[in-house]
Amino acid sequence: MGFSFSPEKASDDMQRLTSCIVGGDDPAGGLAHKAVSAVELHLLQRGWHAGESLGAFSEFQKDLGLGRPACRQAVIILEARGLLDVRRGPGGGLFVATPTAEDVVGAMLMYLSLSGASRDCIPEFRLLTWRMVVEAAIDSGAGAHATAANANANASEWGFAVDLARRIGRPVMALAAQIAEMLVRACEGRPAPAHDVLLDRALKARDRGQALSRLEDLTNPMDLAAPLLALEAMERGFAGSARKSPMALAARMTWEMICRTEKLEAEWETADRLGYSEVVVRQARRILENFGVVRCQRGRKGALWGLPPSPAGVIRLLAPCLIASGMTMSDNAEAAKFLVCSALRLVAERATESGQAQTRVLSSFTNRLELIDLIDSENQLLELAGNPLLSIMTRSLGLANLPSAETGMSPQSRIAIVALNHRILRAVAADDAETTRCLARAKEELIQQHEPSYRKLA
């Protein structure tokens, strides 16, 4: 086949870039997990073609350059995460698969529960996706022709924002809005309406202010269940599908992990107690290990709680979904710009709420900065925005756009943006809320302009 999945053959620069986007190296370590990361990187660079054959196990093992045990572990992880379809029998083999939105939502809920994130981030993220879709509809001029009156019988079950995004041809925004809606419903929040007459009127009139004001009315304060409790409902939903049963058990184990801090029981004990097969238990543990929250080991017990959770596993799960949604470079760029601007607004708002921020500021600045410096500074701003879902979605867009990452921006513009990010971070660290707000507004205007404006403003 000549796919060259081996981690040793991957470009060092691309590995560094990927690591920076997702937020660090794979916390699980080990040959199998490094192989999983290498396969994901390779498939992302190729465009993630679902259904593509990767050959038989022996061919896949040869391409990975691993021994049989490590390769088998890699296959278990990839299959459990929904990234690989293992077909047995004549005509079988290993095939590229795409995780579903349900897989992503389950992973997000696990991460939110383990990291102790506030449940308020879920309705806030949904409102951001609504604004993104409405802004895109108005800016494109398609909003007047894409209201509910034109939806006919094609409306989905996920509310007005998903349908509107699809009708204006924004698949990335549709997926983001669907994931946000699924998170809200998993936490027993109020579902989004299928359509809204007042919002339709504002869209027809291209009245941005009225449309955004109506979104505020539609969101309404809601008493959401905690992500931890939502995992129980997620387990029940996943359990209906054989392929998703490892994710169902991973959700259950996450719930137990937070309530019980002792060492994990043996795989056979978990299987016997919860009624899953040992194969599924092994897959579920590998999912959690790939997220960095469990460390599997040899011996009678077989696993320990790992490091604090990292969003890297969720980001790497969401990126293939974005590609499979029908994403184009322009669609990706439009969504990323909006989310970056949203993060800046949140940074400015929260600069006065939390007092002096403890943030790392770039220690030096030169006129020869790499793309990795830009990503590093953007990641810091995303963290300061305080919404992990916003950070995960934005960074997943960056990972999904990996093949064009080096060519999407000139070095001069990159230097200018890093310089401005540097100033924003310094203002936040100095507890200078007014300067933070001014710089955030300046960068927001900057992002919407052509490249020469970057250098002038920065």
Side-chain angles (χ1 to χ4, degrees), residues 107-167:
M108 284 178 167
L109 286 172
M110 284 189 280
Y111 174 71
L112 293 178
S113 296
L114 289 166
S115 64
S118 169
R119 60 191 176 189
D120 293 339
C121 71
I122 295 176
E124 181 180 66
F125 178 65
R126 182 171 73 165
L127 180 57
L128 289 175
T129 65
W130 286 359
R131 288 174 176 167
M132 177 170 63
V133 172
V134 167
E135 293 264 16
I138 292 174
D139 289 342
S140 67
H145 307 289
T147 58
N150 302 313
N152 300 321
N154 297 322
S156 76
E157 61 178 306
W158 300 113
F160 71 91
V162 175
D163 291 336
L164 179 58
R166 289 173 178 170
R167 291 196 295 274

Side-chain angles (χ1 to χ4, degrees), residues 44 48 83 97-99 315-325 399-400:
L44 284 167
W48 206 279
L83 304 171
T98 302
I315 293 168
R316 287 167 30 228
L317 199 66
L318 177 53
C321 286
L322 292 167
I323 296 175
S325 71
L399 190 60

Side-chain angles (χ1 to χ4, degrees), residues 13-32:
D13 289 341
M14 189 58 72
Q15 285 187 356
R16 288 177 60 232
L17 184 60
T18 304
S19 176
C20 186
I21 291 173
V22 302
D25 296 326
D26 186 346
L31 287 176

Side-chain angles (χ1 to χ4, degrees), residues 81-82 98-110 157-158 175 178-179 182-183 186 231 233-235 237-239 241 243-244 247-248 251 291 314 317-318 321:
R81 281 166 56 83
T98 302
T100 64
E102 288 81 4
D103 295 323
V104 173
V105 169
M108 284 178 167
L109 286 172
M110 284 189 280
E157 61 178 306
W158 300 113
L175 179 60
Q178 179 181 339
I179 288 173
M182 293 172 73
L183 285 166
L231 286 174
M234 192 60 62
E235 181 195 3
F238 281 147
S241 168
R243 190 189 69 77
K244 292 175 183 173
M247 187 65 82
F291 285 168
V314 188
L317 199 66
L318 177 53
C321 286

Side-chain angles (χ1 to χ4, degrees), residues 134-135 138 202 206-216:
V134 167
E135 293 264 16
I138 292 174
R206 300 187 68 178
D207 187 334
R208 191 184 306 269
Q210 187 62 40
L212 297 180
S213 175
R214 183 56 184 163
L215 293 181
E216 295 281 354

